[in-house]
Amino acid sequence: MEEYIVSARKYRPMTFDSVVGQEALTTTLKNAVKSGKLAHAYLFCGPRGVGKTTCARIFAKAINCESPTDEGEACNHCESCMAFNEQRSYNIFELDAASNNSVENIKVLMEQTRIPPQIGKYKVFIIDEVHMLSTAAFNAFLKTLEEPPAHVIFILATTEKHKILPTIISRCQIYDFERMTVPDIVNHLKMVAGKEGISYEEEALNIIAEKADGGMRDALSVFDQVASFCQGNITYQKVIEDLNVLDAENYFNIINLALENKVADIMVLLNNIINNGFDGGHLISGLAAHVRNVLMAKNEQTIALLEVSQRQREQYREQAKKCPPSFLYKALKIMNDCDVNYRQSSNKRLLVELTLIQVAQITQEDDTPSAGRSPKRLKSLFRKLVKNVQTKVASQGGTERSQKKDDEPVAPTVNKIVTEKVPETPKPAQRVRLGAIGMTFANLSKSGKKPVFQKEEEEKITSEEQRSFDEDMLLQQWTAMCMRMPQQLTGLATRMKNMIPVITDYPNIEVVIDNEILLDQMKAIQKRIRNTLVANLHNNDISLHLRLAKPDEVKKILNNREMLEEMRAKHPALEQLLGQLELELV
């Protein structure tokens, strides 16, 4: 019986042209071989299974080939190429840094760089998973990498470029390998299936390619597994059964049911999916990818972004015709929120159910009865109920009036009844606010000149403008001044609003302050306060006295509501007035 070799090894590329999905990189490497312009160090980085180590081996063989082709490929006939193919070449060394990451391993490797090649031009050192080297090993490797012998070329391969020291990266030519696209993987699998004599369905190969997540080695491994399960006939149903992949038809069904607002049917379908062993989070992420594909299928320019079979592409195009763009946008937002909160949720199934219910209610009209209602729909429902009640009350009023008039003679015409107006419901008494009584800050700002906080220069009023004032005017201008104080004095102005200046001996004004810190702050601007009062009260004779409050003068500062409650307690008539006028404090 012939020895079995897995497809990943059996169909491993041996030339640059046979490498799948990395055309730009392989072209650059071939041109470097043709021109002979070779760097002393290369860094191949990218995800697993995309051809980093394979390209490093092909490149190493082409570098030492005695007669490369015009395209930059190795000839496979010279002694160097044959030694490489038979794995007996002494010019190409491979080191697995994952298991040989110590300083001693690097020192042994550096010793070998001193010996020139016996056959060929270069000694090539391929270090795989180079990011696994220890810091000490990197430092030991750094000096040789910086000034290597002329006959030495290093090819470093890694899946985690960010873990390599910047001093190493700066001394290498960097080649970033990309993930392979689904069409590229499918085409390669078709080639392998043809050589192995395996029949297949294209949709089945698409599932394998999506499962591989951009890695050809993973795709070939899955292909071998599925081929063994299917016994040489790879079908879509057998692939999703073997790989435990959720059938895409479930996603199409969920979206169709959501467009019809069939929440119950979606819940039954979800229950069947979970009972088959699929995770709710996996369903949501798959459904989000499906909705994204539907969104791409709405435009002929973006439909090329779908990496699916031709039959599924037509399915997406048909469903895209049914789905409004707003539905797709909102569904993506809802499912993204579910995906973010899924790990933290203590009841994951309930979160998935609520998410699907929300998706199913996107296209639901506001007034359509449903199991759940948003606040907007409840408001519209209440508006209808109120309208119906008002209509019934009006109709009952009309009935009573007609009953009362039964005993009276009625004119033989219907127009009187039709044109009779239903008396309007008396409007409720208008509520009066306390802010509308007396002078407010808004009224003050509208009337006359806005008070400005004066500078320290003494303000003078002409004899024609000299006026007298009382405590009400003083309090009004004091409050207005506090409202207009500069921004840097906002904190002090807030405390000053709670003070009540009094006229001790006209026109002398006294302000009592309850703590020394505040007293010092006000003394610093005392001249400005006095000048502001002089300007706003139009009186040059004003003098301002600030003093510290005595212990028995310190009282609790009341807010507006507490002041109102205190006045209610002292004056019962005020309580009665507030009730009659339906006044409220805002």
Side-chain angles (χ1 to χ4, degrees), residues 432-443:
V432 182
R433 299 177 182 271
L434 288 180
I437 301 177
M439 178 67 71
T440 65
F441 299 131
N443 295 335

Side-chain angles (χ1 to χ4, degrees), residues 174-360:
I174 302 173
Y175 290 79
D176 289 310
F177 285 69
E178 300 177 353
R179 293 182 182 274
M180 298 181 186
T181 62
V182 171
D184 286 339
I185 296 177
V186 169
N187 291 333
H188 190 69
L189 293 180
K190 288 180 180 179
M191 182 272 294
V192 174
K195 291 186 177 181
E196 294 293 325
I198 298 174
S199 59
Y200 59 85
E201 293 179 359
E202 186 173 351
E203 291 181 3
L205 298 184
N206 271 278
I207 295 296
I208 297 174
E210 292 174 6
K211 189 79 172 179
D213 193 25
M216 183 60 74
R217 184 173 61 240
D218 293 355
L220 291 171
S221 299
V222 175
F223 177 82
D224 289 344
Q225 173 187 337
V226 172
S228 177
F229 178 77
C230 298
Q231 293 295 310
N233 183 21
I234 301 178
T235 62
Y236 176 79
Q237 290 298 330
K238 289 183 179 180
V239 167
I240 63 175
E241 180 182 352
D242 183 38
L243 301 181
N244 196 31
V245 176
L246 189 59
D247 189 358
E249 291 298 325
N250 291 299
Y251 300 137
F252 284 102
N253 292 337
I254 290 175
I255 297 302
N256 288 333
L257 293 173
L259 291 172
E260 300 174 4
N261 311 128
K262 295 183 178 179
V263 176
D265 293 342
I266 295 178
M267 293 298 102
V268 173
L269 181 57
L270 172 64
N271 184 67
N272 294 334
I273 292 173
I274 293 178
N275 289 341
N276 289 332
F278 293 101
D279 180 62
H282 176 70
L283 169 65
I284 292 298
S285 60
L287 185 60
H290 173 83
V291 174
R292 175 260 179 195
N293 289 344
V294 175
L295 185 61
M296 295 299 104
K298 288 191 73 68
N299 194 318
E300 291 298 328
Q301 293 180 340
T302 57
I303 197 170
L305 302 177
L306 301 183
E307 296 181 339
V308 295
S309 65
Q310 187 61 35
R311 188 184 72 86
Q312 281 190 330
R313 183 169 298 186
E314 292 300 324
Q315 280 186 289
Y316 280 118
R317 184 182 280 111
E318 290 299 320
Q319 191 168 73
K321 295 178 182 178
K322 305 177 185 177
C323 300
S326 59
F327 168 81
L328 299 175
Y329 298 146
K330 292 179 182 178
L332 283 173
K333 176 66 170 61
I334 292 171
M335 288 182 287
N336 181 66
D337 293 341
C338 176
D339 187 47
V340 171
N341 300 323
Y342 187 77
R343 291 185 179 180
Q344 301 176 352
S345 175
S346 58
N347 192 340
K348 292 180 170 52
R349 175 162 182 169
L350 178 60
L351 177 62
V352 174
E353 290 176 344
L354 289 174
T355 299
L356 295 179
I357 290 173
Q358 289 177 337
V359 173

Side-chain angles (χ1 to χ4, degrees), residues 67-212:
S67 56
T69 64
D70 295 337
E71 290 79 17
E73 297 276 10
C75 67
N76 285 322
H77 300 297
C78 64
E79 176 59 25
S80 176
C81 292
M82 294 178 64
F84 177 83
N85 293 337
E86 296 171 5
Q87 299 182 359
R88 56 181 176 82
S89 175
Y90 290 100
N91 292 341
I92 299 174
F93 299 87
E94 285 193 41
L95 176 70
D96 181 19
S99 56
N100 302 280
N101 55 7
S102 64
V103 178
E104 289 74 17
N105 299 127
I106 294 298
K107 286 182 177 180
V108 172
L109 188 68
M110 296 304 101
E111 290 295 329
Q112 295 178 358
T113 61
R114 299 180 181 180
I115 304 173
Q118 301 302 312
I119 300 175
K121 303 176 184 178
Y122 300 97
K123 271 194 169 182
V124 183
F125 294 87
I126 301 174
I127 305 179
D128 202 6
E129 301 297 335
V130 68
H131 66 274
M132 298 292 287
L133 290 177
S134 63
T135 304
F138 268 127
N139 293 330
F141 178 51
L142 184 59
K143 185 62 178 177
T144 304
L145 184 65
E146 185 177 6
E147 298 177 359
H151 59 270
V152 172
I153 293 178
F154 292 104
I155 302 178
L156 314 179
T158 179
T159 55
E160 301 185 41
K161 174 182 172 183
H162 61 279
K163 292 186 178 180
I164 302 176
L165 295 179
T167 51
I168 299 290
I169 295 178
S170 64
R171 290 169 171 81
C172 302
Q173 279 191 10
I174 302 173
Y175 290 79
D176 289 310
F177 285 69
E178 300 177 353
R179 293 182 182 274
M180 298 181 186
T181 62
V182 171
D184 286 339
I185 296 177
V186 169
N187 291 333
H188 190 69
L189 293 180
K190 288 180 180 179
M191 182 272 294
V192 174
K195 291 186 177 181
E196 294 293 325
I198 298 174
S199 59
Y200 59 85
E201 293 179 359
E202 186 173 351
E203 291 181 3
L205 298 184
N206 271 278
I207 295 296
I208 297 174
E210 292 174 6
K211 189 79 172 179

Side-chain angles (χ1 to χ4, degrees), residues 574-585:
L574 176 62
E575 177 70 27
Q576 184 178 1
L577 176 64
L578 294 176
Q580 292 177 353
L581 297 180
E582 297 184 5
L583 298 178
E584 62 178 0
L585 181 64

Side-chain angles (χ1 to χ4, degrees), residues 338-555:
C338 176
D339 187 47
V340 171
N341 300 323
Y342 187 77
R343 291 185 179 180
Q344 301 176 352
S345 175
S346 58
N347 192 340
K348 292 180 170 52
R349 175 162 182 169
L350 178 60
L351 177 62
V352 174
E353 290 176 344
L354 289 174
T355 299
L356 295 179
I357 290 173
Q358 289 177 337
V359 173
Q361 287 187 332
I362 292 175
T363 58
Q364 183 172 298
E365 296 181 1
D366 287 349
D367 296 325
T368 303
S370 62
R373 282 188 180 273
S374 65
K376 291 182 179 179
R377 292 171 184 167
L378 287 174
K379 287 181 180 179
S380 64
L381 175 61
F382 289 142
R383 283 198 297 268
K384 283 191 171 184
L385 291 175
V386 172
K387 186 176 180 181
N388 292 338
V389 170
Q390 292 176 346
T391 304
K392 288 182 180 180
V393 171
S395 62
Q396 290 176 359
T399 304
E400 292 177 358
R401 286 191 301 273
S402 61
Q403 290 176 353
K404 288 180 180 180
K405 294 182 179 180
D406 284 345
D407 299 333
E408 300 176 3
V410 182
T413 176
V414 188
N415 294 336
K416 183 178 180 180
I417 300 175
V418 175
T419 58
E420 184 179 2
K421 293 185 179 179
V422 178
E424 296 183 356
T425 305
K427 295 183 179 179
Q430 186 174 2
R431 303 177 71 86
V432 182
R433 299 177 182 271
L434 288 180
I437 301 177
M439 178 67 71
T440 65
F441 299 131
N443 295 335
L444 180 64
S445 62
K446 293 178 182 177
S447 60
K449 177 182 175 183
K450 291 185 179 180
V452 180
F453 196 58
Q454 302 294 325
K455 299 181 179 179
E456 292 192 3
E457 290 78 9
E458 187 174 354
E459 182 76 15
K460 291 293 184 181
I461 302 297
T462 61
S463 57
E464 293 80 7
E465 295 179 348
Q466 185 82 356
R467 303 175 189 174
S468 60
F469 63 92
D470 55 20
E471 289 196 347
D472 290 338
M473 298 171 61
L474 171 62
L475 181 60
Q476 178 179 321
Q477 295 301 333
W478 177 272
T479 307
M481 176 186 66
C482 295
M483 298 290 291
R484 298 297 176 182
M485 289 178 69
Q487 187 174 2
Q488 61 268 25
L489 299 177
T490 302
L492 178 59
T494 303
R495 296 178 178 88
M496 289 175 58
K497 289 179 188 177
N498 298 319
M499 302 177 188
I500 300 178
V502 295
I503 303 174
T504 55
D505 184 15
Y506 183 86
N508 300 324
I509 301 172
E510 182 182 67
V511 180
V512 180
I513 305 164
D514 57 3
N515 65 79
E516 294 184 1
I517 298 177
L518 186 57
L519 177 62
D520 294 338
Q521 293 177 349
M522 291 187 62
K523 282 184 176 180
I525 60 171
Q526 183 174 357
K527 290 184 179 180
R528 300 182 66 182
I529 296 175
R530 186 257 176 193
N531 292 339
T532 303
L533 294 177
V534 168
N536 296 332
L537 293 174
H538 301 277
N539 195 310
N540 285 326
D541 302 328
I542 290 176
S543 64
L544 179 65
H545 176 61
L546 307 177
R547 71 173 178 86
L548 187 65
K550 299 177 182 178
D552 57 343
E553 292 178 330
V554 178
K555 297 181 180 179

